[in-house]
Amino acid sequence: MGGAALSRFVLALLLGATLYVASLVAWPIERVEVAGNAHLERARVLELADLYPGDPWLWATQGRLEALRADPWVLEARLERPRVGAVRIVVRERVPVATLETPEGPVGLAADGTRLPGAKPTGPVIEGFGHDRTLEALQIAALLPTAKRIAYNPAGFTVDWEGRHLWIRNLENLRVWLPRVDMIRGNDVAIYSWGVSIRR
């Protein structure tokens, strides 16, 4: 490397080091706002994002939110920099819509099936055995919002709904018969692909 090239290389290194130091001290974060959180506390959001006043403002990028996005309660998160020195973390949280019975105890479920630790019991209780049909059960809960309990097994689903026991083989059968379910009177109703069986 010639003398002129070496000088340019050293100069570039010095300039890079100067910009690096300036990015650390010239524009620190003065304020961190958190918006959209309901279940997660502000301190927890900041901990997961690892962003605090005094940190370099230029280093506050979307990549800092990866740990926050990995939290089961977080559906999505984005970082905004509304002005120099200010950072806003906007969170959209999952909402529990049902309670899953597990060997370890009840756990909240979001509509997409994500387990939400620490969720208060809400919505229908879902339980079952065999192949996991939790997502189908959640779709049934969305179609029958007053359901109290949804139990599944390899044969189908039993739904405690408005004082009745509703049995269906699969979700598609329910979708076909749903417009007529309210007109069906009986304590036990079984919906098949070919029709409806009623026991009064």
Side-chain angles (χ1 to χ4, degrees):
M1 182 180 290
L6 181 60
S7 295
R8 283 194 299 271
F9 178 71
V10 171
L11 184 60
L13 280 179
L14 288 173
L15 180 60
T18 302
L19 291 174
Y20 171 77
V21 171
S23 74
L24 294 176
V25 297
W27 298 295
I29 295 175
E30 298 170 0
R31 179 181 177 86
V32 180
E33 301 172 12
V34 176
N37 58 313
H39 175 81
L40 291 176
E41 295 182 359
R42 181 180 189 275
R44 179 61 177 158
V45 173
L46 294 178
E47 177 187 350
L48 289 170
D50 194 26
L51 277 173
Y52 299 96
D55 289 348
W57 181 73
L58 289 176
W59 290 24
T61 63
Q62 299 295 334
R64 297 288 290 270
L65 301 185
E66 290 308 310
L68 178 63
R69 292 184 182 116
D71 187 282
W73 280 91
V74 177
L75 183 60
E76 58 184 43
R78 72 177 186 276
L79 186 76
E80 299 175 352
R81 296 193 294 185
R83 62 186 181 281
V84 174
V87 172
R88 182 183 300 120
I89 301 169
V90 181
V91 176
R92 188 155 72 99
E93 293 184 350
R94 289 182 171 90
V95 177
V97 297
T99 302
L100 178 67
E101 287 289 348
T102 73
E104 297 77 31
V107 61
L109 286 177
D112 63 1
T114 301
R115 296 185 180 198
L116 303 175
K120 294 179 180 177
T122 187
V125 173
I126 296 174
E127 60 184 347
F129 65 89
H131 176 69
D132 185 6
R133 303 183 76 177
T134 304
L135 288 177
E136 287 176 87
L138 285 167
Q139 293 178 69
I140 292 169
L143 292 171
L144 301 173
T146 56
K148 300 296 183 191
R149 178 174 294 271
I150 302 172
Y152 66 83
N153 59 42
F157 297 85
T158 301
V159 183
D160 292 345
W161 175 65
E162 297 187 353
R164 296 182 277 178
H165 297 295
L166 178 65
W167 185 88
I168 55 173
R169 183 172 299 282
N170 56 49
L171 184 63
E172 290 309 310
N173 290 350
L174 177 61
R175 286 195 173 117
V176 168
W177 286 91
L178 187 60
R180 290 171 267 188
V181 164
D182 280 332
M183 297 183 292
I184 299 170
R185 294 290 173 254
N187 292 329
D188 293 311
V189 178
I191 299 176
Y192 303 91
S193 57
W194 49 263
V196 176
S197 171
I198 302 171
R199 186 167 63 190
R200 301 183 187 280

